[in-house]
Amino acid sequence: MTGSIAALGAGLAVIGAGLGIGQVGGKAMEGIARQPEAASKIQTAMIIAAALIEGVALFGVVVALLGK
């Protein structure tokens, strides 16, 4: 039973990360479309934010799997 709860927690962490990265990417593309001259700054900030989101998701998966 606890294994399935851990898997559910890991799945929720991954879904949250996917939604977060989707939002970051979408808003970055919107910002680049509005100000093409700021594309490099926006892209750098987007990559850093995506990496932080992935780190939090990985941490959530590890915690969920260790919690069983």
Side-chain angles (χ1 to χ4, degrees), residues 18-65:
L19 291 173
I21 290 175
Q23 287 287 324
V24 168
K27 296 299 180 179
M29 293 301 109
E30 188 177 311
I32 290 171
R34 290 175 188 244
Q35 291 186 338
E37 66 276 0
S40 64
K41 289 183 179 181
I42 294 171
Q43 184 178 12
T44 302
M46 178 190 68
I47 290 171
I48 291 171
L52 291 173
I53 292 169
E54 281 294 324
V56 169
L58 182 62
F59 182 73
V61 168
V62 169
V63 168
L65 294 178

Side-chain angles (χ1 to χ4, degrees), residues 5-19 57 60-61 64:
I5 294 173
L8 183 63
L12 288 174
V14 171
I15 289 172
L19 291 173
V61 168

